[in-house]
Amino acid sequence: MLHVFPTFGNGGTELRMTRVMNHLPFPAHHLILGMKGNYDAASNISAGVSYEIVDSTGLRRSPCILLSLRQLLRELRPNLVLTYNWGAIEAVLAARLSGLNAVIHNESGFGADEAVSLKSRRVWTRRILLRGIHRTIVNSKNLLQIALQEYKLPPCKVKLIRNGIDVRRFVPGRNMDLRGQLGAGENTLLYGFVGRHRAEKNLRVLVEAFAAANIENAKLVLVGDGPERGAIEAIATRLLAPDRVIFPGEVDDALPYLQAFDVFVMSSLTEQTPNAMLEAMSCGLPAISSNVGDVRDILGCDNSLITMGPNDTGAMSGAMKAVAANAELRSELGARNRTRCAEHYSLNRMVNEFAECYQQSLDFWQP
């Protein structure tokens, strides 16, 4: 199985797929190609999983990446080609040009450049290329509608597979040791975010909303790193005292932080089915979020902490104050989130659905 990623860094798509690799119910050898040369997510692959990294140096230096991809595919001759998001769309065409039909493309969201509207050239490219492959997998109802209505794909060519997380590992807890390290006492309210500090995460709104809420004895913890971190730190320094917003950096395991938080917060411009939110829900946390992607469906339509828009600082601030003032509300929403996650977003369900799709493609196209 050849996986072609734009980058195999520690992002949501890569995390989801390493979980699938780790738990597939049948033996497979995974060839992993990161077009931009980042392979940090390989550290998440479990011991015993058969995989190898495909060197992308030649591709990055090639004057024609499409021809180089086609040559690589002809050399590797994988049984199944798996491509991910717009950044790997050339690999879809390269596979077709190489005579490979067992191709599954995965769409899991957009960057900041398509947070508001889709780029017509990308829409038309997907319309042309994705009709000729075995299937396109999407991870949200929002993306399913885009695939059917914008990309004009036949329903039989699209499959919705929701993200899933290990609900037996991500469980409610109270990590007092870490809270102490973060300068949080028993009565401190910790609002927390986990994820890459990229433009589409819109962390400026989180910091501005937290400052506007002016909640006594509360801190905001922004776990992660990325190109926007410096700008967000500057905003935090301008609006708040130094100890009110904490930047722990990128961590290998988010679980200790989720079990230290009181409330999970997210103000993204674009999301589909965010892994970090599912992990927070599984840990029994209430979640405050902008209304993007499938967030309303994930949290439940009656959830009062879903703000109207990703740039609605006032609504975000109001939601922060509402949970600060009502411990019973925090407990009720957290318990409901845990139940929803266990019932609808388990790891086993996700892995089995991916495995079934892979097996159908292999059965159909292999002689």
Side-chain angles (χ1 to χ4, degrees):
M1 301 170 67
L2 173 64
H3 303 260
V4 185
F5 294 89
T7 174
F8 198 56
N10 284 312
T13 298
E14 297 78 18
L15 177 61
R16 179 174 66 257
M17 298 320 300
T18 55
R19 287 171 174 168
V20 172
M21 295 177 199
N22 291 342
H23 294 91
L24 274 180
F26 54 79
H29 180 63
H30 303 276
L31 302 169
I32 301 171
L33 173 62
M35 305 275 283
K36 297 179 181 179
N38 185 339
Y39 292 95
D40 290 347
S43 63
N44 298 310
I45 300 176
S46 298
V49 174
S50 178
Y51 79 96
E52 60 185 288
I53 299 299
V54 179
D55 186 8
S56 62
T57 305
L59 290 177
R60 298 197 306 274
R61 295 175 178 173
S62 172
C64 182
I65 194 168
L66 177 61
L67 293 179
S68 296
L69 275 170
R70 184 181 66 172
Q71 180 60 34
L72 179 64
L73 287 165
R74 286 177 171 175
E75 293 171 1
L76 296 175
R77 301 302 301 178
N79 299 101
L80 183 61
V81 178
L82 304 165
T83 59
Y84 300 89
N85 296 322
W86 172 255
I89 202 71
E90 293 98 337
V92 176
L93 179 55
R96 299 304 312 283
L97 293 175
S98 303
L100 299 174
N101 294 308
V103 180
I104 296 175
H105 182 66
N106 295 261
E107 289 281 347
S108 57
F110 307 103
D113 58 343
E114 289 189 288
V116 177
S117 62
L118 302 179
K119 294 181 179 293
S120 59
R121 179 177 65 88
R122 297 183 183 183
V123 169
W124 277 98
T125 300
R126 288 177 170 108
R127 283 184 187 179
I128 295 168
L129 291 182
L130 299 184
R131 293 180 68 92
I133 64 173
H134 181 76
R135 191 148 298 155
T136 294
I137 294 175
V138 297
N139 70 337
S140 71
K141 289 182 178 179
N142 180 51
L143 281 175
L144 178 62
Q145 291 304 308
I146 289 174
L148 296 175
Q149 296 175 9
E150 300 293 335
Y151 306 158
K152 307 296 185 184
L153 300 181
C156 64
K157 289 284 188 177
V158 188
K159 182 174 180 62
L160 169 62
I161 300 181
R162 299 275 203 174
N163 291 359
I165 55 100
D166 189 349
V167 296
R168 294 172 298 181
R169 180 169 185 268
F170 288 90
V171 295
R174 188 70 171 168
N175 193 327
M176 293 305 299
D177 289 342
L178 182 53
R179 287 178 65 88
Q181 296 173 32
L182 297 171
E186 178 62 39
N187 296 321
T188 304
L189 199 63
L190 281 187
Y191 295 85
F193 164 85
V194 178
R196 292 290 292 164
H197 293 193
R198 298 192 300 252
E200 61 266 30
K201 298 302 181 181
N202 205 24
L203 295 178
R204 168 188 60 82
V205 165
L206 274 189
V207 175
E208 292 177 348
F210 181 73
N214 193 27
I215 300 166
E216 185 178 358
N217 203 24
K219 294 177 183 286
L220 175 63
V221 183
L222 303 178
V223 179
D225 207 343
E228 293 289 305
R229 177 171 170 177
I232 302 305
E233 286 182 331
I235 294 171
T237 299
R238 175 169 55 86
L239 296 178
L240 292 150
D243 63 341
R244 297 292 304 283
V245 183
I246 303 169
F247 294 84
E250 192 168 319
V251 299
D252 293 331
D253 186 5
L255 178 60
Y257 284 87
L258 293 172
Q259 291 182 333
F261 295 162
D262 296 292
V263 183
F264 179 80
V265 285
M266 189 179 77
S267 57
S268 298
L269 294 169
T270 176
E271 293 283 355
Q272 299 305 323
T273 306
N275 285 306
M277 174 173 283
L278 295 180
E279 291 171 353
M281 292 170 63
S282 188
C283 288
L285 293 178
I288 298 172
S289 176
S290 50
N291 185 19
V292 290
D294 277 15
V295 162
R296 183 170 292 279
D297 187 50
I298 295 166
L299 290 174
C301 293
D302 57 345
N303 194 298
S304 60
L305 303 183
I306 302 171
T307 64
M308 291 307 295
N311 287 308
D312 194 340
T313 306
M316 184 72 66
S317 177
M320 288 181 175
K321 288 189 285 188
V323 296
N326 193 335
E328 185 176 340
L329 175 64
R330 296 197 300 272
S331 178
E332 177 187 338
L333 291 175
R336 185 192 305 170
N337 286 348
R338 167 71 183 172
T339 299
R340 288 184 64 82
C341 198
E343 290 180 350
H344 302 291
Y345 300 97
S346 73
L347 177 63
N348 287 340
R349 186 269 314 154
M350 178 186 73
V351 171
N352 288 336
E353 290 180 6
F354 269 103
E356 180 183 23
C357 190
Y358 295 164
Q359 195 62 63
Q360 289 173 350
S361 180
L362 290 168
D363 290 345
F364 186 83
W365 292 106
Q366 299 304 313

